[in-house]
Amino acid sequence: MHKLALSKAFTLIEPGPVVLVTTHDGTKSNIMTISWTMVMGFGAEFALTTGAWNHSYAALRASRECVIAIPTIDMLDTVVGIGTCSGRDTDKFQKFGLTALPGKEVGAPLIKECLANIECRVTDIVTRHNIVVLEGVAAYYDRARREKRLLHAVGDGTFIVDGRKFDRRKMMRAKLPPGV
């Protein structure tokens, strides 16, 4: 084993997939890229990390709702582009050619080009840690979409892409050797 700088330890435990979070401030919609997400159990409760450094944070805080849109690997350039410009002076839907679909439960839009969208309401904001706790109120999945591999940010400018999905139950029934 080689020593790793403690400041890089977070790169070993990457969170959930990189997501796009949409908000609506009553006048316009915006999108932010979020790489720090987590599920909070086996239901529809989620958390993400963001704060005042993100333009969308004010709308998220005021409206107390958003949409978590889940992009796939073919959207990598869009995901990075959205994360490197500000909604203060950029219409990100227009700039990146994304289609806003109306939510049924919240005012923030869904993103048609994403694999899935989850409409959410804010249930708590843990200011000390910049954590926003969300409750999913509606979810949508595009079964017709061919690309389904998700992006995971390592935290050092690189990404990991989902690979093959393994069903442990099927593997156990096939009595495959351990570790296969």
Side-chain angles (χ1 to χ4, degrees), residues 1 3 7 22 24 47-48 51 53 81 88-89 103 117 140 149-150 162 171-173 180:
M1 289 265 188
K3 188 157 176 74
S7 63
T22 68
H24 193 276
L48 56 87
W53 60 85
R88 278 186 194 86
D89 52 21
N117 287 269
Y140 313 91
R149 294 174 296 163
L150 307 182
D162 286 343
M171 290 173 67
M172 290 174 68
R173 281 194 298 269
V180 176

Side-chain angles (χ1 to χ4, degrees), residues 104-121:
K104 292 185 174 34
E105 302 293 328
V106 301
L110 286 66
I111 300 175
K112 180 181 178 181
E113 292 75 14
C114 286
L115 176 63
N117 287 269
I118 306 167
E119 295 184 58
C120 297
R121 292 209 171 87

